[in-house]
Amino acid sequence: MSRFILMIIGAVVVLAGLQWIVPKWAAGQVASQIASRDGGVKPQVEIAALPFWILAQGQFQDLYIKASGLRVDGITLSQAQVNWQNGQVSLSALSRKKLDVQKTGHVRAHIVLDGAALSAFLAQQGAVKDPSVSLTPGVVSIRGRLTLGQLNVPLNARGTLSVSSDKKAILFHATSFDGIQLPLLADLQIFQIDSLNLPVPMVIQSVDIRQNQLVVEASTP
């Protein structure tokens, strides 16, 4: 076998190895950065970039992140799965620990929250004092205290959930207070996707309650 053919085979082997090693190394860096910001939870990260050297320009075909117990801006997500396709970020900004998105691409997210996370969100918003949220199939219960003028009114409401018209928030539709049926629905925002400070604009596609947890499906507009 000629030396030229051996050189070609050797180059292919090296490139194949780098095609596996470089994205895996980059995925490890992403996982470490997330862990350093959310209190130590290191997610599963996979990156597909073909050819691998497009990563030097911050480009990728597919970025997949999966984590449990991820803490984002004071809210703990029971589960989070994010699939970002055909995106690009600034490497110079990343070197300064900032995320500057050069190309949005398409993002899909699957987020699971429990009652404690929703209670924390309501507490941050200040709409309900000392809130407690519980989830059961088809029914959401919220307890706490509402501030009406200078009065603190006990709140014990049951209702259903829906997505706001702008697809940015999840609304609680109260159907009863303290067991008394209401003739009209009262709306209360219990989750706002922009509160997660995601790197790209996202909208909520659907919301559901499964196994006493809130499941949110979201994507880029």
Side-chain angles (χ1 to χ4, degrees):
M1 189 177 295
S2 71
R3 180 175 297 178
F4 178 71
I5 294 176
L6 287 174
M7 289 174 60
I8 292 176
I9 293 174
V12 169
V13 171
V14 170
L15 288 173
L18 289 173
Q19 185 62 63
W20 182 83
I21 292 172
V22 173
K24 197 169 186 64
W25 173 84
Q29 296 300 306
V30 172
S32 297
Q33 284 293 327
I34 294 174
S36 67
R37 297 183 183 188
D38 81 339
V41 176
K42 194 168 186 177
Q44 172 189 344
V45 178
E46 297 175 6
I47 297 178
L50 187 67
F52 67 87
W53 53 79
I54 67 173
L55 283 172
Q57 298 175 331
Q59 299 181 54
F60 51 87
Q61 281 96 18
D62 193 89
L63 171 62
Y64 175 76
I65 300 175
K66 180 179 180 181
S68 298
L70 189 66
R71 189 168 178 82
V72 181
D73 296 322
I75 300 174
T76 300
L77 310 181
S78 300
Q79 295 180 36
Q81 297 179 36
V82 178
N83 183 216
W84 188 357
Q85 297 177 328
N86 299 317
Q88 182 177 3
V89 299
S90 168
L91 293 184
S92 60
L94 285 179
S95 67
R96 301 190 301 272
K97 296 185 178 181
K98 295 182 179 180
L99 183 58
D100 181 10
V101 178
Q102 303 291 306
K103 180 182 176 183
T104 301
H106 181 68
V107 182
R108 297 192 306 273
H110 173 88
I111 301 170
V112 180
L113 306 98
D114 58 16
L118 294 173
S119 299
F121 176 82
L122 283 178
Q124 287 181 2
Q125 298 303 301
V128 181
K129 302 297 182 182
D130 301 320
S132 175
V133 180
S134 61
L135 304 168
T136 56
V139 178
V140 178
S141 299
I142 299 179
R143 294 188 178 188
R145 301 185 69 84
L146 281 176
T147 301
L148 300 176
Q150 296 181 345
L151 299 176
N152 284 326
V153 181
L155 171 66
N156 184 3
R158 290 163 58 87
T160 58
L161 300 178
S162 68
V163 180
S164 63
S165 58
D166 63 359
K167 295 187 175 182
K168 287 289 188 176
I170 297 173
L171 302 178
F172 168 73
H173 299 272
T175 55
S176 68
F177 283 103
D178 291 323
I180 301 174
Q181 297 296 319
L182 297 177
L184 297 175
L185 295 178
D187 294 344
L188 178 67
Q189 180 176 291
I190 67 168
F191 178 72
Q192 166 67 248
I193 195 163
D194 288 344
S195 68
L196 298 181
N197 292 322
L198 298 173
V200 296
M202 299 282 286
V203 294
I204 299 171
Q205 298 296 349
S206 66
V207 59
D208 192 15
I209 299 176
R210 305 174 196 165
Q211 299 179 341
N212 298 339
Q213 292 183 311
L214 182 64
V215 180
V216 181
E217 303 290 346
S219 71
T220 44

